[in-house]
Amino acid sequence: VDWGSDGVAHTVVCAHYDSRPWTPGANDNGGGVACVFALVHLALAGRLAEPVRFVFFDGEELGLVGSRAYAESGWFRGCERVINMDALGANRLSVLTQDPEGPLDNEMILLALQAATALGIVLKTAESRTGISDHTPLKAKGARTLWFSDHPNVGRETDVDVAAAVDLSELENTVKLVWLLLSGKQWTG
């Protein structure tokens, strides 16, 4: 879903819709998909500060298949920032500061923490030393990266990753937080 990003500088907001075969996938990544759909709904009724492209990837659990293809396609042209939502709803909302490839965008992380404080949302910071997600191929191509996830998340990719275990208030808070970032003029450079 594209809001004015046709090759111009824009933000990609993404989530993957696949899950591991042995898990229902409500948290990983039904929660992220629900958040992106809610943001699309808000974008239909609201105003975004800058162009945004909402993207749903497949094949994340198989090695980032969809996001790797996207990063190598013409669709990536103009992508300056990526906000990735992966494995949300376990009541441990975190912004990840590092992945195995190195640090994520500190300025974007600070803006997310400030926005969370302004909204009264508890947002933790965490490092992912082993996990990668759909932001990884876009980050490798130069996109500034913000990754929201629950950390630690002991129920993800297990048989208890069911809809009844998803904390809907966390998903609502994630949507409010990302919407504030998208509808304001926080980004620089």
Side-chain angles (χ1 to χ4, degrees), residues 149-168:
S149 188
D150 284 328
H151 199 78
N153 189 338
V154 295
R156 97 180 162 78
E157 298 181 353
T158 69
D159 60 354
V160 299
D161 187 2
V162 295
V166 173
D167 180 351
L168 297 179

Side-chain angles (χ1 to χ4, degrees), residues 11-14 80-86 94-99 103-113 115 123-125 133-136 138-139 143-149 174 177-178 181-182 186-187:
T11 299
V12 165
V13 177
C14 64
E80 289 191 352
R81 291 167 295 280
V82 59
I83 300 175
N84 183 31
M85 290 182 268
D86 187 5
S94 301
V95 59
L96 294 153
T97 60
Q98 181 168 318
D99 66 15
L104 302 181
D105 191 282
N106 193 52
E107 182 181 351
M108 290 178 69
I109 292 165
L110 290 175
L111 288 170
L113 291 167
L123 179 62
K124 303 171 186 120
T125 58
S133 186
D134 283 311
H135 67 278
T136 306
L138 286 70
K139 177 184 167 199
R144 298 171 61 196
T145 302
L146 191 57
W147 181 12
F148 291 104
S149 188
T174 304
L177 176 55
V178 174
L181 293 170
L182 294 175
Q186 281 92 344
W187 312 124

Side-chain angles (χ1 to χ4, degrees), residues 28 46 57 61 94 116 122 124 146 155 160 179:
D28 187 10
F57 291 119
E61 303 291 0
S94 301
V122 176
K124 303 171 186 120
L146 191 57
V160 299
W179 181 252

Side-chain angles (χ1 to χ4, degrees), residues 19-94:
S19 63
R20 299 276 186 181
W22 57 84
T23 177
N27 170 265
D28 187 10
N29 192 32
V33 169
C35 288
V36 175
F37 271 122
L39 289 160
V40 168
H41 179 77
L42 289 171
L44 287 169
R47 179 175 289 268
L48 295 171
E50 295 182 10
V52 176
R53 184 171 287 162
F54 299 97
V55 181
F56 298 94
F57 291 119
D58 192 12
E60 191 263 4
E61 303 291 0
L62 299 173
L64 313 177
V65 175
S67 56
R68 287 183 198 280
Y70 184 89
E72 295 301 323
S73 75
W75 284 99
F76 179 77
R77 190 178 81 247
C79 176
E80 289 191 352
R81 291 167 295 280
V82 59
I83 300 175
N84 183 31
M85 290 182 268
D86 187 5
L88 295 168
N91 201 21
R92 294 175 197 84
L93 182 59
S94 301

